[in-house]
Amino acid sequence: MILIPVLGDQCSHSLAALRGIDPADAVVLMMEVADETIYVKHHKKKIALVLSAMRHFAEELREAGWTVDYVRLDDAGNSGSFSGEVARAVERHAIARIHIVEPGEWRVLKMVEGWQGALGVPVDILVDDRFVCPILDFQTWAQSRRELRMEFFYRDMRRKTGLLLDDGEPAGGVWNLDHDNRRPPKKGVPYPRPMRFAPDAITRAVLALVADRFADHFGSLDGFALPVTRGQARQALDHFVRTALPDFGTYQDAMVTGERFLFHAFLSPALNCGLLTPLEVCVATEAAYRTGDVPLNSAEGFIRQIIGWREYIRGMYWLEMPGLEHANALGATRPLPEFYWTGETDMLCLQQAVLSTRDEAYAHHIERLMVLGNFAMLAGVDPAAISDWFLVVYADAYQWVELPNVVAMSQFADGGRLGSKPYAAGGAYINRMSDYCGRCRYDVKQKTGDDACPFNALYWDFLARHDKRLRGNHRMGPVYRNWDRMAAAQQAAYRASARAFLGTLEPAADGWARD
């Protein structure tokens, strides 16, 4: 008998471990284990999503003829770990072989690699071919290049998939239309809403379990309406393509007070737990472009996020682990500020992003990078602390996608291995791309002082602190030339304002992210 463990982010009928196997010869093992819910204290909605998706997927597998051994979180005898539950299942079912798709996270892969020796049963670890680029293919690509630029990887993925190609050339004659995708918000634009799904009996039972067992975790369960089945996820994808994708490209970097989704897909929670595959999302996007329902800049921009950035980030994760987890090239040591958990700050941009995160387990990519991540980097927050926070708070957060996005991209803690320069910005960027600044207690036009936008002084203070490391970066040269042209008194005022503001930050209480 073959044992097929299916993990919580593998709720895919196309999973390689299920192909070519006679269901009569196999047992599918699905495990809700305490270790995975509390290794960081995940957002309540993240736990509810994964458990509900798993329980629904188990029922679908049973309907398809599979024998499913499903271990619930509150079952008597639950060992609390993947390894413990696999060992119990091997004994229960007289297993001769284990067949598993490679896990998405380094620590889980190390665990799986130990099963054969511990259990005395052969373990086949299969490539996760739901991704477009296998890990070994990415490593081969990386070894042949001096600079690991995402743009060149993205072009290779376009060629591999054939997406948005006309006779082998990029549709529209260019590979990347990012310059068309940076419009600030426009007054009077009606923003669509993501499709939401009323919880069924399975989800309601999960919500009750999470509310009881994880009451001390971050976030709210109120209004839980995420897709938890493949059918729902497909509906959500179709809804996005029809209602939001046409304007996604143009306004993907915009931020608006009270608008949490704008034209964003909100599909990443379903995508990252396996209810959708990246290629089908891209195929649906391209089809809408080919029929004339979606402009090229939106189709290209969205596809780039999926087969470009998402695949690239996964490749970089496996290329850089395990060292990436401890990277701190800028020597940042500040504790995470308390307002990341509470939202209690006069900085409206940060307040809005944190409250959206608390309520929806979601904030869109510019809020994550240029508000939440940017502030942490400018303030010198320990990259491990802000990385833990990102892993806790988002429904789409798994270490393979979160760690390189936060530690390498937003914090520059890898020293520039992933990004060619820090994603640092002052208040002017946020003012240009949002309506926050006109409503904020702070004045974005003031450069220093108690009433000035803190991003302004923090930006220049960051550059001054890291002068020796960053001045030689060719992309930072113009910025440092601006700094050098300032009068010494102005430089001192910026640094004094930054110190004064940083002195007001309360560190987060222990125990929010990890017990």
Side-chain angles (χ1 to χ4, degrees):
M1 187 68 70
I2 298 171
L3 185 69
I4 306 176
V6 173
L7 307 180
D9 58 352
Q10 297 179 345
C11 295
S12 308
H13 290 282
S14 61
L15 199 68
L18 300 173
R19 292 201 301 268
I21 303 293
D22 185 343
D25 297 331
V27 173
V28 174
L29 175 65
M30 297 188 71
M31 306 160 278
E32 301 175 2
V33 295
D35 282 1
E36 298 307 304
T37 59
I38 62 172
Y39 77 93
V40 295
K41 298 170 72 173
H42 297 287
H43 194 297
K44 297 184 185 79
K45 278 183 176 166
K46 163 75 174 294
I47 299 173
L49 166 66
V50 174
L51 297 187
S52 181
M54 288 175 64
R55 293 185 184 190
H56 282 93
F57 187 59
E59 291 304 309
E60 292 173 3
L61 289 175
R62 291 188 180 107
E63 291 172 5
W66 292 93
T67 298
V68 180
D69 183 351
Y70 195 98
V71 181
R72 295 196 173 204
L73 196 61
D74 51 1
D75 281 351
N78 187 329
S79 68
S81 72
F82 285 151
S83 293
E85 288 315 298
V86 168
R88 292 205 308 146
V90 165
E91 184 175 344
R92 277 196 303 272
H93 302 290
I95 295 300
R97 192 170 204 91
I98 296 172
H99 208 56
I100 185 170
V101 167
E102 59 192 359
E105 299 192 352
W106 174 271
R107 64 184 177 82
V108 183
L109 178 62
K110 298 297 110 179
M111 194 186 306
V112 171
E113 289 175 343
W115 288 351
Q116 185 162 313
L119 302 175
V121 175
V123 178
D124 303 313
I125 303 176
L126 308 179
V127 170
D128 191 347
D129 57 11
R130 297 174 300 169
F131 290 90
V132 175
C133 184
I135 294 167
L136 288 178
D137 286 6
F138 186 90
Q139 292 172 345
T140 300
W141 176 85
Q143 288 166 3
S144 67
R145 295 178 179 272
R146 186 169 61 88
E147 292 185 348
L148 305 181
R149 288 185 59 188
M150 190 280 287
E151 177 64 24
F152 296 132
F153 172 78
Y154 165 57
R155 294 180 187 186
D156 286 346
M157 293 302 99
R158 288 270 295 276
R159 294 184 185 101
K160 178 176 182 177
T161 60
L163 289 162
L164 294 180
L165 293 186
D166 295 328
D167 297 323
E169 297 297 321
V174 292
W175 290 102
N176 186 318
L177 290 165
D178 194 42
H179 62 276
D180 293 334
N181 293 345
R182 299 174 182 174
R183 292 278 298 277
K186 185 177 180 180
K187 290 183 179 179
V189 172
Y191 298 108
R193 293 289 182 268
M195 182 170 279
R196 304 183 82 94
F197 301 89
D200 63 6
I202 291 175
T203 300
R204 290 195 298 272
V206 166
L207 292 172
L209 171 68
V210 173
D212 177 62
R213 185 156 179 160
F214 304 103
D216 64 335
H217 283 221
F218 176 73
S220 170
L221 283 172
D222 293 345
F224 181 93
L226 291 165
V228 294
T229 67
R230 171 162 173 76
Q232 290 179 346
R234 280 294 316 189
Q235 290 180 56
L237 170 60
D238 294 343
H239 177 79
F240 163 68
V241 170
R242 186 175 64 256
T243 66
L245 181 58
D247 288 305
F248 165 79
T250 304
Y251 298 111
Q252 67 174 287
D253 286 5
M255 297 173 282
V256 177
T257 306
E259 293 290 342
R260 292 174 170 177
F261 304 104
L262 289 86
F263 296 103
H264 290 269
F266 198 30
L267 294 173
S268 52
L271 183 62
N272 288 358
C273 73
L275 301 179
L276 295 169
T277 65
L279 197 54
E280 74 176 315
V281 170
C282 293
V283 167
T285 299
E286 182 184 38
Y289 162 68
R290 297 295 183 188
T291 59
D293 295 318
V294 169
L296 180 59
N297 71 305
S298 286
E300 186 279 319
F302 191 67
I303 286 173
R304 179 163 22 95
Q305 292 287 334
I306 305 299
I307 66 164
W309 191 252
R310 184 175 185 268
E311 296 279 334
Y312 173 78
I313 282 291
R314 176 179 183 254
M316 289 298 293
Y317 172 79
W318 287 104
L319 188 68
E320 299 296 302
M321 284 296 283
L324 185 60
E325 197 167 11
H326 308 289
N328 191 358
L330 298 181
T333 58
R334 183 177 300 279
L336 187 74
E338 177 70 10
F339 70 72
Y340 273 82
W341 298 112
T342 65
E344 294 176 2
T345 172
D346 287 338
M347 299 178 73
L348 185 60
C349 56
L350 284 158
Q351 178 200 93
Q352 289 285 297
V354 171
L355 294 182
S356 175
T357 299
R358 179 197 67 189
D359 296 343
E360 304 289 351
Y362 173 81
H364 71 69
H365 69 275
I366 292 299
E367 293 172 311
R368 298 191 202 194
L369 176 64
M370 299 308 299
V371 177
L372 296 161
N374 181 31
F375 182 89
M377 182 179 66
L378 298 182
V381 173
D382 183 342
I386 187 64
S387 178
D388 270 359
W389 183 82
F390 271 90
L391 186 58
V392 164
V393 300
Y394 291 116
D396 57 8
Y398 299 83
Q399 193 189 52
W400 68 264
V401 67
E402 173 273 327
L403 190 66
N405 264 312
V406 177
V407 169
M409 186 183 185
S410 84
Q411 301 305 295
F412 204 67
D414 68 342
R417 175 90 167 146
L418 187 150
S420 59
K421 71 176 185 68
Y423 276 86
Y429 174 86
I430 296 170
N431 188 36
R432 183 168 66 253
M433 297 310 303
S434 78
D435 69 350
Y436 295 149
C437 298
R439 304 163 183 254
C440 186
R441 199 281 281 177
Y442 294 104
D443 185 351
V444 72
K445 295 180 181 179
Q446 288 193 36
K447 305 304 182 184
T448 60
D450 292 342
D451 294 327
C453 172
F455 272 104
N456 293 333
L458 290 175
Y459 174 75
W460 291 112
D461 184 63
F462 169 79
L463 293 173
R465 292 199 317 269
H466 299 293
D467 186 294
K468 289 183 179 180
R469 174 175 288 276
L470 298 178
R471 183 178 285 271
N473 183 310
H474 71 280
R475 296 190 65 189
M476 301 296 290
V479 178
Y480 277 102
R481 285 193 290 275
N482 287 339
W483 173 251
D484 293 341
R485 283 192 289 267
M486 288 183 197
Q490 182 64 55
Q491 292 179 344
Y494 273 126
R495 303 212 66 186
S497 284
R499 285 194 300 272
F501 175 79
L502 292 172
T504 68
L505 296 180
E506 293 291 332
D510 291 338
W512 266 113
R514 296 177 186 262
D515 285 321

